[in-house]
Amino acid sequence: KAGVTQTPRYLIKTRGQQVTLSCSPISGHRSVSWYQQTPGQGLQFLFEYFSETQRNKGNFPGRFSGRQFSNSRSEMNVSTLELGDSALYLCASSNHFSGELFFGEGSRLTVL
Amino acid sequence: AQKITQTQPGMFVQEKEAVTLDCTYDTSDQSYGLFWYKQPSSGEMIFLIYQGSYDEQNATEGRYSLNFQKARKSANLVISASQLGDSAMYFCAMRATNAGGTSYGKLTFGQGTILTVHP
């Protein structure tokens, strides 16, 4: 059974650009959530999607957005990138009926 | 609101010995789940073990066991027979669940404990 797949794994952008990250959950999982990990702030919740609907949102500016498609795949977008957006972005999926939550390998974003 | 506290920034253990990583939590949720994850230097967050707040028995998964003490609000991870490959950052986390055990909402993480296994 394939795990959570995130693409791209690494990317470098410059300030002001925008970026789109993709996440394919484990087959059968309908819940996807996103987290940002930085050395200073640790792991912070971005948003959670279930059945194409955003169910919860963390305390991030509107430059951070996301969506979920009918096949449960999810994307997150960050517009007008800032240096502080450099981070590891982790996607997690669950089947919503068990407690377990599985993460992908992450997308490491560097903003120059 | 939820809060996870991991008081050990770093831990050292000899190969083949057992080690306990501490985790205490605070929450206003009646029902919740507790997680432990391992994050090697590659960055991937690897799920280790899960404990529901209403589970009567402590969770075990191979060499990992979760010592759940609800009254003390602690959920310590015990790794038996440590291996060199266990060297990594370990995160304790929690998430609310409904009465049926369905998880929802954000996962709240602790600051992590770096475990180093010596040969």
Side-chain angles (χ1 to χ4, degrees):
Chain A
K1 190 174 183 181
V4 180
T5 304
Q6 289 189 246
T7 57
R9 291 288 317 281
Y10 302 91
L11 65 167
I12 300 173
K13 294 284 187 179
T14 57
R15 280 182 299 174
Q17 287 187 311
Q18 66 93 26
V19 66
T20 298
L21 308 178
S22 178
C23 172
S24 294
I26 292 172
S27 178
H29 286 191
R30 294 164 61 193
S31 178
V32 173
S33 50
W34 289 87
Y35 293 82
Q36 181 197 63
Q37 185 178 23
T38 59
Q41 299 296 318
L43 283 143
Q44 294 186 287
F45 170 74
L46 282 157
F47 16 68
E48 178 191 23
Y49 289 89
F50 179 74
S51 293
E52 302 179 66
T53 302
Q54 187 179 90
R55 296 299 179 98
N56 292 282
K57 188 176 190 303
N59 189 26
F60 277 81
R63 300 185 298 107
F64 291 80
S65 63
R67 59 179 175 169
Q68 187 180 33
F69 302 96
S70 58
N71 62 358
S72 295
R73 190 178 69 86
S74 177
E75 287 181 350
M76 68 162 282
N77 183 277
V78 188
S79 62
T80 319
L81 283 166
E82 301 177 359
L83 296 178
D85 297 333
S86 294
L88 179 66
Y89 290 88
L90 291 159
C91 168
S93 80
S94 68
N95 67 14
H96 206 65
F97 297 103
S98 78
E100 299 171 351
L101 190 71
F102 298 93
F103 283 83
E105 293 181 301
S107 292
R108 192 172 293 278
L109 170 66
T110 301
V111 181
L112 302 176
Chain B
Q2 300 171 343
K3 185 177 180 181
I4 296 282
T5 302
Q6 293 180 254
T7 57
Q8 307 155 314
M11 286 285 286
F12 296 88
V13 66
Q14 208 68 27
E15 193 179 8
K16 299 181 184 178
E17 293 187 347
V19 63
T20 298
L21 305 183
D22 294 341
C23 172
T24 58
Y25 62 91
D26 195 16
T27 182
S28 55
D29 297 304
Q30 291 296 313
S31 179
Y32 49 88
L34 295 154
F35 303 74
W36 276 94
Y37 289 91
K38 170 185 177 183
Q39 188 176 44
S41 55
S42 61
E44 181 183 7
M45 194 73 77
I46 301 169
F47 169 78
L48 295 178
I49 198 165
Y50 170 81
Q51 175 90 40
S53 59
Y54 285 103
D55 293 340
E56 294 185 355
Q57 290 195 339
N58 286 342
T60 59
E61 289 285 350
R63 295 186 299 111
Y64 305 106
S65 60
L66 198 153
N67 184 1
F68 180 46
Q69 297 188 44
K70 195 171 182 178
R72 289 187 167 188
K73 294 188 176 180
S74 74
N76 298 338
L77 177 70
V78 180
I79 305 174
S80 63
S82 296
Q83 301 172 356
L84 296 178
D86 293 336
S87 294
M89 176 76 91
Y90 287 80
F91 289 98
C92 179
M94 74 179 305
R95 195 184 194 195
T97 63
N98 60 23
T102 301
S103 293
Y104 64 91
K106 71 176 184 179
L107 199 59
T108 299
F109 287 87
Q111 290 302 305
T113 296
I114 300 175
L115 175 66
T116 303
V117 181
H118 289 303

